[in-house]
mmCIF file of all heavy atoms in Angstrom:
data_model
loop_
_atom_site.group_PDB
_atom_site.id
_atom_site.type_symbol
_atom_site.label_atom_id
_atom_site.label_comp_id
_atom_site.label_asym_id
_atom_site.label_seq_id
_atom_site.Cartn_x
_atom_site.Cartn_y
_atom_site.Cartn_z
ATOM 1 N N GLY A 76 9.529 76.597 -86.450
ATOM 2 C CA GLY A 76 9.575 78.045 -86.373
ATOM 3 C C GLY A 76 8.174 78.621 -86.394
ATOM 4 O O GLY A 76 7.254 78.027 -86.951
ATOM 5 N N SER A 77 8.017 79.779 -85.758
ATOM 6 C CA SER A 77 6.763 80.525 -85.709
ATOM 7 C C SER A 77 5.735 79.877 -84.784
ATOM 8 O O SER A 77 4.647 80.401 -84.625
ATOM 9 C CB SER A 77 6.152 80.727 -87.109
ATOM 10 O OG SER A 77 5.421 81.934 -87.108
ATOM 11 N N CYS A 78 6.059 78.733 -84.211
ATOM 12 C CA CYS A 78 5.095 78.071 -83.325
ATOM 13 C C CYS A 78 5.466 78.269 -81.863
ATOM 14 O O CYS A 78 4.681 78.007 -80.964
ATOM 15 C CB CYS A 78 4.999 76.596 -83.644
ATOM 16 S SG CYS A 78 4.227 76.359 -85.238
ATOM 17 N N THR A 79 6.698 78.712 -81.636
ATOM 18 C CA THR A 79 7.172 79.108 -80.314
ATOM 19 C C THR A 79 7.129 77.980 -79.293
ATOM 20 O O THR A 79 7.662 76.939 -79.537
ATOM 21 C CB THR A 79 6.483 80.405 -79.860
ATOM 22 O OG1 THR A 79 6.506 81.293 -80.965
ATOM 23 C CG2 THR A 79 7.227 81.075 -78.753
ATOM 24 N N ALA A 136 -10.207 83.174 -79.354
ATOM 25 C CA ALA A 136 -9.870 81.766 -79.148
ATOM 26 C C ALA A 136 -8.554 81.343 -79.790
ATOM 27 O O ALA A 136 -8.159 80.190 -79.675
ATOM 28 C CB ALA A 136 -11.002 80.900 -79.672
ATOM 29 N N ALA A 137 -7.879 82.249 -80.487
ATOM 30 C CA ALA A 137 -6.609 81.917 -81.130
ATOM 31 C C ALA A 137 -5.984 83.214 -81.616
ATOM 32 O O ALA A 137 -6.633 84.267 -81.573
ATOM 33 C CB ALA A 137 -6.831 80.980 -82.312
ATOM 34 N N GLY A 138 -4.739 83.118 -82.097
ATOM 35 C CA GLY A 138 -4.083 84.313 -82.611
ATOM 36 C C GLY A 138 -4.862 84.932 -83.753
ATOM 37 O O GLY A 138 -5.132 86.138 -83.778
ATOM 38 N N ALA A 139 -5.270 84.089 -84.705
ATOM 39 C CA ALA A 139 -5.985 84.600 -85.875
ATOM 40 C C ALA A 139 -7.307 85.252 -85.456
ATOM 41 O O ALA A 139 -7.714 86.265 -86.028
ATOM 42 C CB ALA A 139 -6.235 83.464 -86.869
ATOM 43 N N HIS A 140 -7.953 84.691 -84.466
ATOM 44 C CA HIS A 140 -9.212 85.269 -83.973
ATOM 45 C C HIS A 140 -8.945 86.626 -83.307
ATOM 46 O O HIS A 140 -9.743 87.560 -83.439
ATOM 47 C CB HIS A 140 -9.848 84.279 -82.981
ATOM 48 C CG HIS A 140 -11.284 84.560 -82.651
ATOM 49 N ND1 HIS A 140 -11.877 84.078 -81.520
ATOM 50 C CD2 HIS A 140 -12.231 85.274 -83.293
ATOM 51 C CE1 HIS A 140 -13.136 84.488 -81.483
ATOM 52 N NE2 HIS A 140 -13.373 85.206 -82.550
ATOM 53 N N GLY A 141 -7.802 86.741 -82.634
ATOM 54 C CA GLY A 141 -7.393 88.015 -82.054
ATOM 55 C C GLY A 141 -7.174 89.054 -83.148
ATOM 56 O O GLY A 141 -7.594 90.206 -83.029
ATOM 57 N N GLU A 142 -6.530 88.629 -84.247
ATOM 58 C CA GLU A 142 -6.285 89.555 -85.369
ATOM 59 C C GLU A 142 -7.603 90.093 -85.923
ATOM 60 O O GLU A 142 -7.759 91.300 -86.144
ATOM 61 C CB GLU A 142 -5.569 88.824 -86.514
ATOM 62 C CG GLU A 142 -4.148 88.426 -86.215
ATOM 63 C CD GLU A 142 -3.636 87.422 -87.243
ATOM 64 O OE1 GLU A 142 -4.204 87.312 -88.345
ATOM 65 O OE2 GLU A 142 -2.654 86.715 -86.924
ATOM 66 N N SER A 168 6.719 89.728 -95.109
ATOM 67 C CA SER A 168 7.176 88.574 -94.324
ATOM 68 C C SER A 168 6.076 88.044 -93.402
ATOM 69 O O SER A 168 6.291 87.123 -92.637
ATOM 70 C CB SER A 168 8.389 88.978 -93.472
ATOM 71 O OG SER A 168 8.017 90.002 -92.558
ATOM 72 N N SER A 169 4.869 88.629 -93.501
ATOM 73 C CA SER A 169 3.850 88.331 -92.482
ATOM 74 C C SER A 169 3.311 86.911 -92.571
ATOM 75 O O SER A 169 3.398 86.230 -93.597
ATOM 76 C CB SER A 169 2.690 89.316 -92.612
ATOM 77 O OG SER A 169 1.857 88.920 -93.669
ATOM 78 N N HIS A 170 2.730 86.480 -91.461
ATOM 79 C CA HIS A 170 2.055 85.186 -91.366
ATOM 80 C C HIS A 170 0.788 85.253 -92.228
ATOM 81 O O HIS A 170 0.133 86.301 -92.287
ATOM 82 C CB HIS A 170 1.669 84.981 -89.899
ATOM 83 C CG HIS A 170 1.276 83.585 -89.549
ATOM 84 N ND1 HIS A 170 -0.024 83.158 -89.562
ATOM 85 C CD2 HIS A 170 2.016 82.523 -89.147
ATOM 86 C CE1 HIS A 170 -0.073 81.893 -89.178
ATOM 87 N NE2 HIS A 170 1.149 81.481 -88.924
ATOM 88 N N GLY A 171 0.422 84.141 -92.846
ATOM 89 C CA GLY A 171 -0.725 84.117 -93.753
ATOM 90 C C GLY A 171 -2.031 84.564 -93.115
ATOM 91 O O GLY A 171 -2.932 85.068 -93.799
ATOM 92 N N THR A 172 -2.148 84.381 -91.799
ATOM 93 C CA THR A 172 -3.397 84.791 -91.147
ATOM 94 C C THR A 172 -3.582 86.310 -91.192
ATOM 95 O O THR A 172 -4.714 86.778 -91.130
ATOM 96 C CB THR A 172 -3.433 84.344 -89.672
ATOM 97 O OG1 THR A 172 -2.245 84.780 -89.025
ATOM 98 C CG2 THR A 172 -3.551 82.829 -89.544
ATOM 99 N N ASN A 173 -2.483 87.073 -91.271
ATOM 100 C CA ASN A 173 -2.606 88.543 -91.214
ATOM 101 C C ASN A 173 -3.439 89.095 -92.369
ATOM 102 O O ASN A 173 -4.462 89.739 -92.125
ATOM 103 C CB ASN A 173 -1.237 89.221 -91.173
ATOM 104 C CG ASN A 173 -0.459 89.027 -89.869
ATOM 105 O OD1 ASN A 173 0.595 89.603 -89.657
ATOM 106 N ND2 ASN A 173 -0.968 88.185 -88.976
ATOM 107 N N THR A 214 4.479 92.309 -87.253
ATOM 108 C CA THR A 214 4.872 91.255 -86.323
ATOM 109 C C THR A 214 6.246 91.638 -85.801
ATOM 110 O O THR A 214 7.120 91.959 -86.599
ATOM 111 C CB THR A 214 4.944 89.900 -87.062
ATOM 112 O OG1 THR A 214 3.722 89.708 -87.746
ATOM 113 C CG2 THR A 214 5.166 88.756 -86.100
ATOM 114 N N PRO A 216 9.156 90.510 -82.714
ATOM 115 C CA PRO A 216 10.073 90.333 -83.820
ATOM 116 C C PRO A 216 9.337 89.728 -85.016
ATOM 117 O O PRO A 216 8.366 89.004 -84.826
ATOM 118 C CB PRO A 216 11.109 89.336 -83.274
ATOM 119 C CG PRO A 216 10.906 89.286 -81.802
ATOM 120 C CD PRO A 216 9.533 89.735 -81.522
ATOM 121 N N ASN A 217 9.836 90.003 -86.223
ATOM 122 C CA ASN A 217 9.113 89.561 -87.410
ATOM 123 C C ASN A 217 9.350 88.078 -87.676
ATOM 124 O O ASN A 217 10.049 87.403 -86.925
ATOM 125 C CB ASN A 217 9.462 90.449 -88.613
ATOM 126 C CG ASN A 217 10.921 90.308 -89.035
ATOM 127 O OD1 ASN A 217 11.569 89.282 -88.812
ATOM 128 N ND2 ASN A 217 11.444 91.346 -89.663
ATOM 129 N N THR A 218 8.768 87.569 -88.743
ATOM 130 C CA THR A 218 8.833 86.120 -88.958
ATOM 131 C C THR A 218 10.207 85.656 -89.466
ATOM 132 O O THR A 218 10.417 84.468 -89.650
ATOM 133 C CB THR A 218 7.740 85.641 -89.934
ATOM 134 O OG1 THR A 218 7.966 86.280 -91.176
ATOM 135 C CG2 THR A 218 6.354 85.974 -89.432
ATOM 136 N N ASP A 243 1.062 91.912 -84.360
ATOM 137 C CA ASP A 243 0.878 90.472 -84.217
ATOM 138 C C ASP A 243 1.901 90.053 -83.173
ATOM 139 O O ASP A 243 3.109 90.076 -83.408
ATOM 140 C CB ASP A 243 1.141 89.820 -85.583
ATOM 141 C CG ASP A 243 1.117 88.299 -85.536
ATOM 142 O OD1 ASP A 243 1.382 87.722 -84.458
ATOM 143 O OD2 ASP A 243 0.857 87.684 -86.591
ATOM 144 N N GLY A 244 1.414 89.692 -81.990
ATOM 145 C CA GLY A 244 2.312 89.409 -80.857
ATOM 146 C C GLY A 244 2.647 87.944 -80.697
ATOM 147 O O GLY A 244 3.057 87.512 -79.620
ATOM 148 N N ALA A 245 2.501 87.168 -81.792
ATOM 149 C CA ALA A 245 2.797 85.730 -81.697
ATOM 150 C C ALA A 245 4.232 85.484 -81.245
ATOM 151 O O ALA A 245 4.531 84.440 -80.670
ATOM 152 C CB ALA A 245 2.543 85.060 -83.043
ATOM 153 N N ASN A 246 5.116 86.447 -81.509
ATOM 154 C CA ASN A 246 6.522 86.261 -81.154
ATOM 155 C C ASN A 246 6.905 86.976 -79.864
ATOM 156 O O ASN A 246 8.088 87.245 -79.618
ATOM 157 C CB ASN A 246 7.408 86.723 -82.310
ATOM 158 C CG ASN A 246 7.198 85.869 -83.548
ATOM 159 O OD1 ASN A 246 6.755 84.730 -83.446
ATOM 160 N ND2 ASN A 246 7.508 86.409 -84.714
ATOM 161 N N HIS A 265 -2.308 91.201 -80.336
ATOM 162 C CA HIS A 265 -2.806 89.951 -79.759
ATOM 163 C C HIS A 265 -1.612 89.170 -79.227
ATOM 164 O O HIS A 265 -0.481 89.340 -79.673
ATOM 165 C CB HIS A 265 -3.602 89.122 -80.776
ATOM 166 C CG HIS A 265 -2.772 88.363 -81.761
ATOM 167 N ND1 HIS A 265 -2.586 88.783 -83.055
ATOM 168 C CD2 HIS A 265 -2.073 87.209 -81.640
ATOM 169 C CE1 HIS A 265 -1.816 87.918 -83.681
ATOM 170 N NE2 HIS A 265 -1.476 86.956 -82.848
ATOM 171 N N LEU A 266 -1.898 88.348 -78.261
ATOM 172 C CA LEU A 266 -0.892 87.436 -77.718
ATOM 173 C C LEU A 266 -1.407 86.028 -77.984
ATOM 174 O O LEU A 266 -2.604 85.826 -78.049
ATOM 175 C CB LEU A 266 -0.743 87.643 -76.211
ATOM 176 C CG LEU A 266 -0.355 89.059 -75.786
ATOM 177 C CD1 LEU A 266 -0.526 89.221 -74.292
ATOM 178 C CD2 LEU A 266 1.082 89.342 -76.187
ATOM 179 N N ASN A 267 -0.514 85.084 -78.153
ATOM 180 C CA ASN A 267 -0.951 83.695 -78.291
ATOM 181 C C ASN A 267 -0.552 83.003 -76.993
ATOM 182 O O ASN A 267 0.639 82.758 -76.779
ATOM 183 C CB ASN A 267 -0.260 83.002 -79.467
ATOM 184 C CG ASN A 267 -0.484 83.716 -80.778
ATOM 185 O OD1 ASN A 267 -0.221 84.914 -80.886
ATOM 186 N ND2 ASN A 267 -0.955 83.010 -81.771
ATOM 187 N N LEU A 268 -1.540 82.716 -76.134
ATOM 188 C CA LEU A 268 -1.169 82.065 -74.867
ATOM 189 C C LEU A 268 -0.497 80.730 -75.146
ATOM 190 O O LEU A 268 0.342 80.278 -74.369
ATOM 191 C CB LEU A 268 -2.404 81.870 -73.982
ATOM 192 C CG LEU A 268 -3.117 83.158 -73.553
ATOM 193 C CD1 LEU A 268 -4.194 82.853 -72.531
ATOM 194 C CD2 LEU A 268 -2.141 84.188 -73.003
ATOM 195 N N HIS A 269 -0.829 80.108 -76.288
ATOM 196 C CA HIS A 269 -0.234 78.824 -76.659
ATOM 197 C C HIS A 269 1.134 79.005 -77.316
ATOM 198 O O HIS A 269 1.718 78.035 -77.767
ATOM 199 C CB HIS A 269 -1.185 78.050 -77.572
ATOM 200 C CG HIS A 269 -1.792 78.877 -78.654
ATOM 201 N ND1 HIS A 269 -2.734 79.840 -78.401
ATOM 202 C CD2 HIS A 269 -1.586 78.914 -79.987
ATOM 203 C CE1 HIS A 269 -3.093 80.422 -79.535
ATOM 204 N NE2 HIS A 269 -2.393 79.886 -80.513
ATOM 205 N N LYS A 270 1.634 80.228 -77.420
ATOM 206 C CA LYS A 270 2.984 80.402 -77.959
ATOM 207 C C LYS A 270 3.906 81.092 -76.963
ATOM 208 O O LYS A 270 5.127 81.033 -77.105
ATOM 209 C CB LYS A 270 2.945 81.226 -79.243
ATOM 210 C CG LYS A 270 2.293 80.485 -80.388
ATOM 211 C CD LYS A 270 2.395 81.263 -81.681
ATOM 212 C CE LYS A 270 1.700 80.488 -82.793
ATOM 213 N NZ LYS A 270 1.677 81.243 -84.044
ATOM 214 N N HIS A 276 -0.572 73.478 -77.876
ATOM 215 C CA HIS A 276 -0.642 74.026 -79.211
ATOM 216 C C HIS A 276 -1.278 73.025 -80.166
ATOM 217 O O HIS A 276 -1.238 71.846 -79.916
ATOM 218 C CB HIS A 276 0.820 74.174 -79.644
ATOM 219 C CG HIS A 276 1.075 75.326 -80.519
ATOM 220 N ND1 HIS A 276 2.220 76.051 -80.433
ATOM 221 C CD2 HIS A 276 0.356 75.878 -81.502
ATOM 222 C CE1 HIS A 276 2.189 77.007 -81.328
ATOM 223 N NE2 HIS A 276 1.067 76.917 -81.989
ATOM 224 N N GLY A 282 -6.675 76.954 -78.264
ATOM 225 C CA GLY A 282 -5.782 78.060 -77.978
ATOM 226 C C GLY A 282 -6.495 79.237 -77.354
ATOM 227 O O GLY A 282 -7.653 79.137 -76.944
ATOM 228 N N SER A 283 -5.744 80.338 -77.261
ATOM 229 C CA SER A 283 -6.338 81.566 -76.761
ATOM 230 C C SER A 283 -5.516 82.748 -77.258
ATOM 231 O O SER A 283 -4.290 82.698 -77.206
ATOM 232 C CB SER A 283 -6.365 81.542 -75.230
ATOM 233 O OG SER A 283 -6.875 82.763 -74.746
ATOM 234 N N GLY A 284 -6.199 83.755 -77.766
ATOM 235 C CA GLY A 284 -5.499 84.915 -78.346
ATOM 236 C C GLY A 284 -5.952 86.240 -77.768
ATOM 237 O O GLY A 284 -6.506 87.076 -78.488
ATOM 238 N N GLU A 379 14.138 82.941 -83.088
ATOM 239 C CA GLU A 379 14.157 81.990 -84.207
ATOM 240 C C GLU A 379 14.976 82.581 -85.351
ATOM 241 O O GLU A 379 15.331 83.755 -85.332
ATOM 242 C CB GLU A 379 12.738 81.675 -84.695
ATOM 243 C CG GLU A 379 12.012 82.853 -85.336
ATOM 244 C CD GLU A 379 10.522 82.583 -85.566
ATOM 245 O OE1 GLU A 379 10.090 81.426 -85.496
ATOM 246 O OE2 GLU A 379 9.791 83.552 -85.812
ATOM 247 N N PHE A 413 8.331 78.800 -95.305
ATOM 248 C CA PHE A 413 7.767 80.002 -94.687
ATOM 249 C C PHE A 413 8.874 80.641 -93.870
ATOM 250 O O PHE A 413 9.619 79.923 -93.218
ATOM 251 C CB PHE A 413 6.564 79.648 -93.794
ATOM 252 C CG PHE A 413 6.015 80.858 -93.076
ATOM 253 C CD1 PHE A 413 5.260 81.800 -93.766
ATOM 254 C CD2 PHE A 413 6.288 81.072 -91.727
ATOM 255 C CE1 PHE A 413 4.784 82.928 -93.114
ATOM 256 C CE2 PHE A 413 5.818 82.201 -91.080
ATOM 257 C CZ PHE A 413 5.064 83.126 -91.768
ATOM 258 N N MET A 422 12.769 77.256 -91.249
ATOM 259 C CA MET A 422 12.581 78.215 -90.164
ATOM 260 C C MET A 422 12.689 77.473 -88.830
ATOM 261 O O MET A 422 11.864 76.612 -88.523
ATOM 262 C CB MET A 422 11.199 78.829 -90.330
ATOM 263 C CG MET A 422 10.889 79.931 -89.378
ATOM 264 S SD MET A 422 9.144 80.264 -89.504
ATOM 265 C CE MET A 422 9.119 81.988 -89.102
ATOM 266 N N GLU A 424 13.182 77.208 -84.687
ATOM 267 C CA GLU A 424 12.933 77.863 -83.410
ATOM 268 C C GLU A 424 13.079 76.844 -82.280
ATOM 269 O O GLU A 424 12.164 76.065 -82.004
ATOM 270 C CB GLU A 424 11.509 78.441 -83.402
ATOM 271 C CG GLU A 424 11.181 79.151 -82.118
ATOM 272 C CD GLU A 424 9.858 79.915 -82.194
ATOM 273 O OE1 GLU A 424 9.034 79.608 -83.050
ATOM 274 O OE2 GLU A 424 9.683 80.811 -81.368
HETATM 275 C C1 LIG B 501 0.868 81.348 -85.096
HETATM 276 C C2 LIG B 501 0.884 82.674 -85.660
HETATM 277 C C3 LIG B 501 -0.319 83.349 -85.938
HETATM 278 C C4 LIG B 501 -1.685 82.709 -85.809
HETATM 279 O O1 LIG B 501 -1.984 82.270 -84.505
HETATM 280 P P1 LIG B 501 -3.008 81.071 -84.253
HETATM 281 O O2 LIG B 501 -3.140 81.027 -82.769
HETATM 282 O O3 LIG B 501 -2.385 79.855 -84.837
HETATM 283 O O4 LIG B 501 -4.296 81.429 -84.923
HETATM 284 C C5 LIG B 501 -0.228 84.630 -86.422
HETATM 285 N N1 LIG B 501 0.962 85.216 -86.634
HETATM 286 C C6 LIG B 501 2.132 84.605 -86.372
HETATM 287 C C7 LIG B 501 3.425 85.338 -86.608
HETATM 288 C C8 LIG B 501 2.138 83.313 -85.879
HETATM 289 O O5 LIG B 501 3.297 82.703 -85.630
#
Side-chain angles (χ1 to χ4, degrees):
S77 210
C78 291
T79 315
H140 194 201
E142 291 166 19
S168 62
S169 79
H170 194 266
T172 52
N173 290 186
T214 308
N217 66 26
T218 62
D243 174 334
N246 296 337
H265 78 258
L266 302 168
N267 303 54
L268 298 188
H269 45 289
K270 291 186 181 176
H276 213 143
S283 177
E379 67 191 345
F413 176 75
M422 186 192 210
E424 181 171 20

